[in-house]
Each structure stands twice: as C-alpha cells, then as structure tokens.
Amino acid sequence: MTDPSSPQRDPDCIFCKIVAGELPATIVDQDDRTVAFMDISPATRGHALVVPRRHWHNLLEIAPDDLRATVLAAQRLAARVVERLGADGVNLLNSCGPAAWQTVFHFHVHVIPRYDGDPLRLPWTPAEGDKQEIEAAAAALR
Ligand code: AMP
Ligand code: ZN
C-alpha cells in the first residue's frame, strides 16, 4: 500500500494548493486521504467537491486506496446533505477528461445535493438506442 502521507502534488494544481492550505477553500470534511470543500460555482445549495490529498489526474490514474477513500468520503457527505440541508436526493459526478467536462485535472467527485423541483436537468435526452450498436459496444467491453 502507498503511504497516504507521502508527498505527491502538482505545483500548478489549484486543488493541491487547497489541500496544502495555500489557497482558501471552505472545507467541510477531511480525513487522512481526502479533503472536501464547497464548490465555488455551486450547481445547487451545498454542492461540494471531494478530492484525494494526493494529486491524481483523473479516474483512470487514481490509485485504488485513494479512490476508495474519496468515494467513501463522498458517501459520508451525501448522507450529511440529506440530513442537514434537507436534500431530497444526491448526484455524485466525476468528469474524466476534457470530453467529459473535466476542467480541473486533480481527481474529484462532485457531491450535488438535489431538491425536489430544482432546475438541474439530465444532460442527455433518454431515447431508445439501436440494439445492434448497443450489442457491438457490449461486445467490445466484455
Ligand atoms: P470539473 O469540471 O468536473 O473538473 O469540476 C471542477 C469544479 O471545480 C467546478 O465545479 C468549479 O466550480 C470548481 N472549482 C474550481 N476552482 C475552485 C476553487 N478554487 N474552489 C472551489 N471549487 C473550485
Ligand atoms: Zn492536484
């Protein structure tokens, strides 16, 4: 197992700077592997981000122990937004790569409280897909 206290940071990364206390952030939770802080552009009331203390670019790169800790911290915060903010639901969101909307390249999970009737909408329109295309993609994934 990797030592969670071992330094692994990117000097140009804003989330590394937040973790190190070099940039201001509204921190709401932390443990030995993770830090959670409020998103500066919240999608809904209580929108927060959970990051591993160590710098990993994205979902494909992060080490399993840090991924596990980050997801568990996100679950902890999800329970809290329901309990303390009265959220009716929660979206966890991770964007991996620019094509998937990632803009900060330090792995993070968005914890987005959802409220009945809030203005957020699915970014795609659900419509029945082509069966053959679905099967072909599945075949490539097996
Ligand atoms: P993503 O597009 O998934 O990479 O998300 C990056 C998120 O980081 C966005 O929701 C931003 O609003 C948020 N963000 C960027 N800079 C900061 C900051 N200094 N403090 C808190 N949140 C930030
Ligand atoms: Zn970083």
Side-chain angles (χ1 to χ4, degrees):
M1 189 183 117
T2 358
D3 175 0
S5 64
S6 73
Q8 181 175 323
R9 63 172 288 177
D10 174 338
D12 299 321
C13 171
I14 54 172
F15 288 178
C16 282
K17 287 180 183 162
I18 287 174
V19 167
E22 296 163 9
L23 264 186
T26 306
I27 291 175
V28 289
D29 185 77
Q30 44 190 321
D31 62 25
D32 59 341
R33 284 182 182 273
T34 70
V35 177
F37 51 92
M38 304 309 283
D39 196 298
I40 39 164
S41 306
T44 62
R45 179 167 188 262
H47 179 176
L49 303 171
V50 186
V51 306
R53 289 181 181 276
R54 295 193 296 170
H55 182 88
W56 306 100
H57 286 108
N58 59 38
L59 177 67
L60 300 177
E61 190 183 280
I62 186 169
D65 283 346
D66 275 352
L67 177 60
R68 188 176 303 117
T70 306
V71 171
L72 288 173
Q75 183 192 41
R76 197 158 65 225
L77 204 49
R80 229 180 279 167
V81 302
V82 170
E83 193 188 308
R84 303 200 193 160
L85 297 180
D88 300 301
V90 184
N91 282 118
L92 294 190
L93 173 72
N94 169 252
S95 301
C96 180
W101 305 327
Q102 187 174 7
T103 59
V104 176
F105 295 90
H106 178 130
F107 178 83
H108 53 279
V109 175
H110 296 255
V111 178
I112 306 172
R114 300 302 307 276
Y115 304 92
D116 288 341
D118 75 34
L120 300 194
R121 295 289 171 263
L122 268 183
W124 68 92
T125 309
E128 200 172 334
D130 181 89
K131 259 206 164 106
Q132 275 186 345
E133 274 184 34
I134 293 169
E135 287 299 335
L141 290 171
R142 275 183 206 114

